[in-house]
Amino acid sequence: MTQRIGFPFCCLIQRLHIPRLLLLCVTFQPVICSLIQLGLEGSANLLHLFSNKSNQEQGYCEAETTLASSLDFWTLSSDNLIAVLPIDPVKENYVRKVKNCIFSVALPTPFKSRVHLVAVSKEVLEDILDLDLSVSETEHFIQLVSGEKIVFGSIPLAHRYGGHQFGIWADQLGDGRAHLIGIYMNRQGEKWELQLKGSGKTPYSRNGDGRAVLRSSVREFLCSEAMHYLGIPTSRAASLVVSDDEVWRDQFYNGNIVKERGAVVLRVAKSWFRIGSLEILAHYGELDLLRTLLDFIIQEHFPSVDVKEPNRYVGFFSIVVSKTAQLIALWMSVGFAHGVCNTDNFSLLSITIDYGPFGFMEAYNPDFVPNTSDDERRYKIGNQANIGMFNLNKLLQAINPLLDPGQKQLTAQILEGYPVLYYRRFRELFKTKLGLLGDTEGDDDLIAFLLHLMEETEADFTMTFRQLSEITQSQLQELSVPQQFWALKMISKHKLFPVWVSQYLLRLKSNMNDSDSKRRERMTTVNPRYVLKNWVAESAVQKAERNDFSEVRLLQQVLRHPFQKHPAAERAGYASPTPSWARDLRVSCSS
């Protein structure tokens, strides 16, 4: 008879109460015309195209549309936003406190030096933006994605928002180095907001220079695409360009200021609104504007909620709570730590945004913190579910002024249900990672037992689950772990490993209509072989800083198919133990 040992999920779910495992309106046309006439020094030029009609007006038909081979007839529009949401009446671009609006008009600042295209996402260009890949080879494309020129008719916007940073209200934040250059409606009828990051100062730049460096831009470009192919809701990255403009950064805030190069990422998402978008309005008592923005977000992005219903904000909040719980459970299933889970970095659409000092956990450790700026370890991987609840509570506080007493009671009950939603999704995902079918009483203990062994042996998170997907049941039964399964080999040295194997094999026998080959095939489709570990990203960054972009492009190929073995990735060691040179790698908020 095998010994049964239970371990709660406290290592992954800490403190949550979870079952046992656990309009000053300004008409836009005069504003933009005034800005264009000003011809501000250092601001973007207009890229004059043959058409300035939005795709909405053109009535795109998917069956008749082919990919655009140039930017001549490809257009963006900001009309959808500025027709409803008020614009800052101050036209000058200087840092200031902004009130009673959602956006400020701010033109990107072009680089002074020549710009080089580092990489593009073929899938984003073709599947989202309806652009043939050949367009990325044109000068017009480089000018557009670097912020040098803007499409005629586009009105670049910087978004005003606030937020709680590391648990403390930080007041006005906003797009301090990002420009929303317009909305594109593609041939599927999807609306995508295009945003340049690192494209210059805005009224929200605070003490910043409006730039992003190559180091952080490579990481954001690669990770946003990698997360998409892992099946995790995320913003996407269309392109990455680098200049020779000098940007000075103190990477680890230790007084060591070094010269780096400025870069720009073109990011796309269905929306860039975040919890902080609503918080700033509630904080300053701009309740009419809060209601206007919230109704706009519901109308545009929450089709299951009737914007005319009295309880629409309750319905909206319920969806955000549910999707946020699911998103964080998905993060945990691949060992992803966001690094800076402030409310201004939490999307209202529950997608992953704002990739900064993130990290994919290597040696399993629920206290893993990728961000060296997080001295108090607030955003450690094992605390992300709790932070999700904290952020949702701040969202609820922001919308509370719009709720009647009954609705306040309902939303409070919805928030109380968050831990159960998170736990349920977490459990489903980890059962799938272990190839378990059906439901058995001991499943929670089996998962927790494995995580306990992984923690004590410091086994690699990604490769433990991947190698469990590849090893046969007979090899496990004999406790003969081949050397190629190096992560499992580490766990096998634990004295309780035979006990866990015995319980696991017994549980697999209860899978109905299953076989070992089916199990392994099923598990290899959910347990990635490759993720963007920090040492892998750092290797690409170091080469990129020497103008060698080969590894950035290799990683694009590999991370596009993270569940499939890739010969070049194997040669590069992406599925091997962390190399000795990378064991003390650090990342920070400096970008």
Side-chain angles (χ1 to χ4, degrees):
M1 184 175 179
T2 59
Q3 180 183 2
R4 294 186 72 251
I5 299 178
F7 294 92
F9 274 175
C10 59
C11 50
L12 283 177
I13 310 172
Q14 301 170 348
R15 297 196 305 275
L16 287 181
H17 299 291
I18 295 177
R20 205 178 151 259
L21 229 33
L22 307 235
L23 270 235
L24 182 72
C25 290
V26 177
T27 307
F28 73 88
Q29 194 62 40
V31 173
I32 192 64
C33 286
S34 299
L35 283 174
I36 293 169
Q37 290 168 2
L38 283 172
L40 298 175
E41 184 178 353
S43 294
N45 298 311
L46 286 174
L47 177 60
H48 289 276
L49 303 179
F50 292 111
S51 169
N52 66 349
K53 290 185 178 179
S54 69
N55 297 323
Q56 293 96 315
E57 293 169 338
Q58 292 174 1
Y60 260 31
C61 175
E62 181 179 356
E64 298 177 359
T65 303
T66 58
L67 298 179
S69 57
S70 78
L71 290 173
D72 288 348
F73 293 96
W74 188 86
T75 59
L76 299 173
S77 173
S78 303
D79 295 0
N80 194 50
L81 296 171
I82 60 182
V84 177
L85 306 175
I87 301 293
D88 179 6
V90 179
K91 296 183 284 293
E92 292 79 12
N93 187 8
Y94 63 92
V95 175
R96 60 185 180 275
K97 182 64 68 74
V98 179
K99 291 188 177 180
N100 298 307
C101 69
I102 304 299
F103 296 104
S104 296
V105 174
L107 298 178
T109 304
F111 289 118
K112 297 175 182 176
S113 60
R114 183 168 177 79
V115 176
H116 181 81
L117 181 66
V118 175
V120 294
S121 168
K122 180 176 184 291
E123 290 73 22
V124 173
L125 259 61
E126 294 184 350
D127 300 340
I128 293 178
L129 302 181
D130 298 332
L131 291 173
D132 189 87
L133 183 61
S134 62
V135 174
S136 65
E137 301 170 4
T138 67
E139 186 63 23
H140 279 177
F141 181 82
I142 304 296
Q143 292 171 339
L144 176 66
V145 302
S146 66
E148 181 179 348
K149 295 185 178 180
I150 57 174
V151 176
F152 185 76
S154 168
I155 302 172
L157 303 170
H159 175 39
R160 171 192 176 221
Y161 56 82
H164 282 80
Q165 297 192 325
F166 294 91
I168 299 170
W169 175 246
D171 205 36
Q172 178 178 292
L173 298 168
D175 289 333
R177 55 176 174 172
H179 294 80
L180 197 163
I181 59 173
I183 299 175
Y184 180 75
M185 178 180 279
N186 65 20
R187 62 190 186 275
Q188 283 86 29
E190 301 168 334
K191 296 177 185 175
W192 290 86
E193 296 182 5
L194 280 67
Q195 185 187 75
L196 299 176
K197 181 177 180 179
S199 44
K201 286 188 175 183
T202 76
Y204 310 101
S205 294
R206 292 174 285 164
N207 297 319
D209 58 14
R211 292 302 185 193
V213 296
L214 178 61
R215 161 176 49 87
S216 61
S217 301
V218 166
R219 287 168 51 84
E220 172 143 17
F221 176 83
L222 288 173
C223 196
S224 52
E225 288 301 281
M227 292 284 274
H228 170 73
Y229 290 106
L230 287 170
I232 298 174
T234 178
S235 59
R236 303 290 301 276
S239 64
L240 166 61
V241 296
V242 64
S243 72
D244 288 324
D245 282 28
E246 297 177 353
V247 179
W248 297 88
R249 290 289 183 269
D250 182 355
Q251 184 175 353
F252 296 111
Y253 305 106
N254 58 6
N256 184 25
I257 301 174
V258 298
K259 180 174 66 175
E260 301 188 56
R261 287 192 290 167
V264 172
V265 176
L266 174 59
R267 314 191 296 183
V268 300
K270 295 291 184 65
S271 172
W272 292 102
F273 289 125
R274 65 255 343 256
I275 292 176
S277 303
L278 303 178
E279 283 186 290
I280 191 76
L281 304 178
H283 180 80
Y284 283 102
E286 299 169 24
L287 300 188
D288 288 342
L289 188 48
L290 174 65
R291 182 177 287 103
T292 297
L293 177 57
L294 197 46
D295 286 347
F296 176 84
I297 292 169
I298 292 171
Q299 180 77 40
E300 290 292 316
H301 304 292
F302 291 79
S304 63
V305 178
D306 186 346
V307 74
K308 297 178 181 178
E309 281 292 320
N311 284 328
R312 60 191 180 278
Y313 303 141
V314 176
F316 158 81
F317 184 69
S318 177
I319 292 172
V320 176
V321 168
S322 176
K323 287 190 173 181
T324 299
Q326 293 185 51
L327 177 67
I328 298 177
L330 283 167
W331 286 357
M332 301 299 285
S333 74
V334 295
F336 175 79
H338 184 280
V340 195
C341 297
N342 299 327
T343 58
D344 56 293
N345 296 330
F346 255 51
S347 162
L348 288 174
L349 271 58
S350 304
I351 64 172
T352 315
I353 60 171
D354 294 350
Y355 292 89
F358 65 84
F360 284 89
M361 179 168 55
E362 296 174 29
Y364 177 74
N365 177 10
D367 291 329
F368 168 63
V369 178
N371 181 9
T372 57
S373 305
D374 187 2
D375 297 328
E376 297 180 359
R377 309 180 77 82
R378 175 181 175 83
Y379 296 138
K380 62 185 179 182
I381 193 168
N383 200 38
Q384 289 186 131
N386 292 300
I387 294 301
M389 189 159 187
F390 175 91
N391 290 350
L392 289 168
N393 185 51
K394 295 305 177 186
L395 171 60
L396 180 54
Q397 290 177 21
I399 67 173
N400 251 337
L402 306 182
L403 306 177
D404 64 31
Q407 292 168 338
K408 289 179 180 178
Q409 185 176 4
L410 283 173
T411 50
Q413 291 171 352
I414 290 167
L415 183 59
E416 288 174 5
Y418 165 84
V420 175
L421 293 173
Y422 170 78
Y423 161 75
R424 182 185 301 143
R425 186 64 177 132
F426 179 96
R427 185 173 184 272
E428 290 172 353
L429 289 166
F430 276 80
K431 282 181 59 179
T432 303
K433 287 175 73 67
L434 285 175
L436 307 182
L437 301 177
D439 224 359
T440 301
E441 184 180 346
D443 287 348
D444 295 353
D445 290 341
L446 187 67
I447 297 167
F449 191 174
L450 175 61
L451 295 176
H452 171 77
L453 298 182
M454 291 169 63
E455 182 176 4
E456 291 212 335
T457 58
E458 297 183 345
D460 186 279
F461 178 84
T462 301
M463 293 311 296
T464 294
F465 284 99
R466 178 65 187 200
Q467 290 169 8
L468 276 174
S469 310
E470 297 174 349
I471 197 169
T472 65
Q473 288 190 41
S474 60
Q475 288 171 318
L476 278 175
Q477 181 78 54
E478 297 166 7
L479 297 175
S480 58
V481 180
Q483 194 59 45
Q484 72 194 73
F485 300 131
W486 54 269
L488 284 180
K489 196 81 173 173
M490 291 180 66
I491 303 176
S492 70
K493 297 175 182 177
H494 197 288
K495 63 182 180 180
L496 294 178
F497 181 68
V499 179
W500 182 82
V501 168
S502 177
Q503 293 181 9
Y504 180 52
L505 294 176
L506 184 64
R507 173 62 177 85
L508 289 177
K509 287 181 180 179
S510 69
N511 283 351
M512 298 292 292
N513 302 316
D514 200 21
S515 66
D516 194 39
S517 60
K518 286 181 180 178
R519 173 194 68 85
R520 284 182 286 136
E521 181 179 357
R522 192 168 63 247
M523 289 174 65
T524 53
T525 64
V526 295
N527 291 309
R529 189 168 178 86
Y530 313 111
V531 295
L532 188 64
K533 295 180 178 180
N534 271 341
W535 75 264
V536 174
E538 180 63 19
S539 178
V541 166
Q542 290 181 7
K543 289 179 181 176
E545 289 178 338
R546 301 192 299 268
N547 287 326
D548 177 359
F549 306 119
S550 59
E551 191 158 15
V552 172
R553 291 161 187 165
L554 170 62
L555 282 169
Q556 276 189 274
Q557 297 175 29
V558 171
L559 298 172
R560 193 179 294 131
H561 304 285
F563 305 100
Q564 300 174 16
K565 190 176 279 191
H566 192 291
E570 296 299 308
R571 290 192 297 271
Y574 296 160
S576 300
T578 302
S580 57
W581 65 264
R583 286 177 187 152
D584 295 322
L585 268 182
R586 301 183 301 158
V587 293
S588 75
C589 289
S590 172
S591 59

